């Protein structure tokens, strides 16, 4: 951190911990704490766009997963849960809301009469196309706070770190 910059909240917390617990290495808090704060701020900024379309973050994710599936823009609920990393119970609530809004439909699977298929409706596809366009414009605005070189370096670092986290067992995870 530059010495001429004012201390941010994480730096102030670290200074307190260095004073109170000089025996503990609090350096990781500089990265983790800032990532945590940044993730919260990014979520707030992204949700503003979703809200303009009457969507929650989770509903936006479901519509995106259906749109990415390609024509005919449908997936089984379990597949949607896997593509959005939420539980099937949470997925059911999201699908119910989207169905009530006329953005998706549910039908029995042709292959398995017990299975269901969720599909985008015409209005659902129109809405997610508009919302996703605004979403990408918003993400560009947020990323443009960095230089292209900084953004590329950050993406490389985050990709490496995420890969390591996803391929190792960490304490507290089962």
């Amino acid at each position: 951190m530059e010495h001429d910059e004012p201390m941010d909240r994480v730096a102030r917390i670290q200074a307190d911990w260095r004073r109170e617990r000089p025996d503990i290495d609090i350096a990781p808090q500089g990265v983790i704490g800032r990532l945590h704060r940044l993730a919260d701020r990014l979520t707030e900024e992204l949700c503003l766009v979703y809200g303009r379309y009457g969507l929650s973050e989770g509903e936006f994710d479901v519509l995106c997963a259906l749109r990415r599936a390609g024509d005919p823009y449908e997936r089984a609920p379990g597949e949607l849960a896997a593509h959005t990393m939420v539980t099937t119970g949470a997925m059911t609530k999201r699908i119910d809301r989207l169905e009530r809004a006329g953005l998706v439909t549910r039908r029995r699977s042709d292959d398995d009469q017990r299975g269901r298929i969720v599909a985008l409706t015409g209005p659902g596809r129109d809405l997610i196309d508009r919302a996703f366009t605004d979403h990408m414009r918003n993400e560009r605005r947020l990323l443009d706070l960095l230089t292209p070189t900084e953004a590329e370096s950050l993406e490389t670092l985050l990709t490496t770190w995420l890969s390591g986290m996803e391929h190792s067992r960490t304490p507290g995870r089962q």
Side-chain angles (χ1 to χ4, degrees):
M1 185 167 82
E2 296 289 322
H3 292 291
D4 57 347
E5 291 181 21
M7 288 193 347
D8 64 19
R9 179 181 285 175
V10 174
R12 288 191 298 274
I13 290 169
Q14 285 182 291
D16 291 345
W17 279 120
R18 279 190 190 99
R19 182 190 68 240
E20 294 300 316
R21 292 296 308 270
D23 57 311
I24 295 177
D25 173 18
I26 51 90
Q29 192 177 51
V31 174
I32 304 294
R34 285 184 182 90
L35 274 175
H36 216 358
R37 287 186 49 77
L38 183 60
D40 288 346
R41 289 294 311 277
L42 288 172
T43 298
E44 288 172 16
E45 292 290 328
L46 297 177
C47 285
L48 290 173
V49 172
Y50 310 147
R52 283 185 213 137
Y53 294 89
L55 300 170
S56 69
E57 185 177 24
E59 292 161 353
F60 178 84
D61 276 352
V62 170
L63 294 177
C64 281
L66 289 169
R67 182 63 174 90
R68 287 193 318 267
D71 196 15
Y73 313 109
E74 59 185 33
R75 295 184 192 267
E79 210 183 340
L80 279 173
H83 282 271
T84 58
M85 297 179 290
V86 299
T87 65
T88 51
M91 182 56 61
T92 299
K93 289 178 185 172
R94 289 175 185 177
I95 293 168
D96 288 346
R97 159 102 172 53
L98 292 168
E99 188 175 36
R100 282 193 304 275
L103 302 174
V104 302
T105 59
R106 277 186 258 214
R107 65 173 172 76
R108 291 198 185 282
S109 170
D110 296 334
D111 302 336
D112 174 6
Q113 284 303 304
R114 291 172 298 150
R116 296 275 186 199
I117 296 293
V118 179
L120 276 178
T121 61
R125 181 176 172 199
D126 291 344
L127 181 82
I128 196 56
D129 281 350
R130 289 192 325 273
F132 185 72
T133 299
D134 278 357
H135 172 68
M136 292 301 7
R137 194 175 299 125
N138 191 36
E139 284 195 351
R140 170 53 52 206
R141 176 186 66 85
L142 294 166
L143 198 57
D144 281 349
L145 294 170
L146 301 174
T147 67
T149 301
E150 289 169 336
E152 188 178 325
S153 296
L154 182 58
E155 182 178 8
T156 299
L157 288 169
L158 291 174
T159 299
T160 301
W161 192 6
L162 183 58
S163 178
M165 291 286 296
E166 288 178 342
H167 293 97
S168 70
R169 293 185 63 84
T170 56
R173 294 184 75 200
Q174 297 187 15

